Amino acid sequence: MMLSQGDREIEGLSQDISMTGLQIKCLNSLFSKSEQAQNKHVKVCLHIPQQGIDDKIESIIIASHIIRETKKTDGYYYGISFSQMNNNQQEKVKELFKYFSKASHYA
């Protein structure tokens, strides 16, 4: 998955995804040392895996904002909250849960 702000873009691994946000682990920071990451608006590009080996990977871009940035020895961890998603984006995120056999909502 990709995380971007303006012309800056970094690749990361998604963790703890839900219908309202996710945690992203990146090797590098998206921001300079003097910038505060919290509350910054970003775009998250999620790659939606497909069932068949020959199926093309779909991607969706979701407007989001950072709720926290944590620097650890193995990288930068970003807590991301999705902004309002349209119906198509919600269905694509649900496909992620279906692909990984996880529930998209919990009671």
Side-chain angles (χ1 to χ4, degrees):
M1 56 102 4
M2 301 295 288
L3 181 64
S4 64
Q5 184 192 45
D7 61 349
R8 294 178 286 186
E9 185 175 84
I10 57 173
E11 192 171 348
L13 297 173
S14 58
Q15 302 176 329
D16 300 328
I17 190 166
S18 74
M19 290 301 295
T20 59
L22 75 159
Q23 179 172 276
I24 301 170
K25 176 188 172 190
C26 302
L27 293 178
N28 300 303
S29 176
L30 183 61
F31 305 98
S32 69
K33 289 183 180 183
S34 63
E35 286 182 283
Q36 286 282 69
Q38 192 169 351
N39 297 320
K40 293 274 189 180
H41 293 276
V42 293
K43 292 181 182 175
V44 173
C45 179
L46 294 174
H47 304 296
I48 313 298
Q50 303 300 305
Q51 294 295 333
I53 194 163
D54 294 329
D55 292 340
K56 183 179 175 184
I57 294 177
E58 290 185 65
S59 297
I60 57 168
I61 297 173
I62 303 172
S64 309
H65 68 275
I66 295 175
I67 55 175
R68 75 177 168 285
E69 176 189 48
T70 306
K71 184 179 186 313
K72 296 185 178 180
T73 56
D74 62 341
Y76 293 83
Y77 290 77
Y78 293 99
I80 305 290
S81 178
F82 298 142
S83 300
Q84 189 69 28
M85 288 192 289
N86 63 39
N87 288 338
N88 182 56
Q89 290 170 318
Q90 289 177 9
E91 290 304 313
K92 293 297 179 188
V93 172
K94 286 179 184 178
E95 285 180 29
L96 282 171
F97 291 101
K98 189 184 299 182
Y99 181 84
F100 291 109
S101 301
K102 302 286 183 186
S104 59
H105 289 89
Y106 293 96

